[in-house]
Amino acid sequence: MNRLTVDGEAFHAACAAALEEITGAEAALTSARQTLTGRLRIDMPVAFGRSVLLPLLLEIVRPHPGLRLTLSFTDETIDPLLENVDLAIRFGDLKDSSHLIARHLATQARVICAAPSYLTEHGIPQTLEDLRDHRGVVGAAKGPPVSWVVREDGIVRRIAPPTSHQLNDGEAMVAAAVGGLGLCQVPISMVRDLIARGALNTVLDPYSAVPVDIHAVWPRQAHLSPRVRHVVDRLLAFAAQGRLD
């Protein structure tokens, strides 16, 4: 069997990338000038999906009465190709994959927070070492992360907080924290209103100030669906307006 040389493989990769860009541009032009139809399957995190993404998706779909949505809400990291999903929205770092394409949408702050009643009873942690004397509300294997991401002495790393309570649903984690069960680390969009109302207080802010990225992820295809291209382009526009923060 004949094999490409190293230079040939590089040339082939460059051509494939160029064709992908052309196909994407054609899809964008097509979706901009026609009414979109068909079904679009989108998977997204539970809390962020319901509170932030769902209103935006309804706004996107409204001008296209022939466009039908199938929406799923899960905090588990899925493979869109295996789960038959056209588009997935995900927080955090992405694994390298040859069959998926990702587009960065926005970046959010992370916060560690707890209910005032919990902090009154257990004290306010001042250092990461203090976490040993506290209770944690963390994710599970098929849900939000179990570990926390922190910055200490300029170095970003993952730590294992106390796993006092494990939940596989981000909304349930926040509810547990509001109920006084312990500390949780989540993106700011999940708790911004609760912090403003005084239902939660942030702690360890200098350590938790590590942003988390939000990506749109979809299966690599020869021809990108105009439906997917249109939704991703609109989400990017919303992100530029600060509506994904």
Side-chain angles (χ1 to χ4, degrees), residues 20 46 59 67 69 73 101-102 112 126 138 212 215 228 243:
E20 193 170 275
V46 178
E59 187 174 331
L67 186 58
L69 294 177
F73 300 84
I101 298 175
I112 297 174
Q126 303 297 326
V138 301
V212 57
H215 292 91
V228 174
R243 298 179 66 180

Side-chain angles (χ1 to χ4, degrees), residues 45-106:
V46 178
F48 182 71
R50 289 173 178 167
S51 63
V52 177
L53 285 177
L54 182 56
L56 298 181
L57 290 173
L58 297 179
E59 187 174 331
I60 293 171
V61 170
R62 198 169 291 116
H64 304 277
L67 186 58
R68 302 182 298 278
L69 294 177
T70 296
L71 303 180
S72 55
F73 300 84
T74 174
D75 289 319
E76 180 182 1
T77 300
I78 67 164
D79 186 323
L81 192 62
L82 296 178
E83 299 293 335
N84 194 29
V85 169
D86 299 307
L87 182 66
I89 309 299
R90 281 294 171 263
F91 281 93
D93 298 331
L94 300 176
K95 296 180 180 178
D96 291 336
S97 174
S98 61
H99 67 275
L100 297 177
I101 298 175
R103 187 71 184 270
H104 179 265
L105 294 176

Side-chain angles (χ1 to χ4, degrees), residues 41 62 66 166:
R41 298 171 291 271
R62 198 169 291 116
Q166 288 189 266

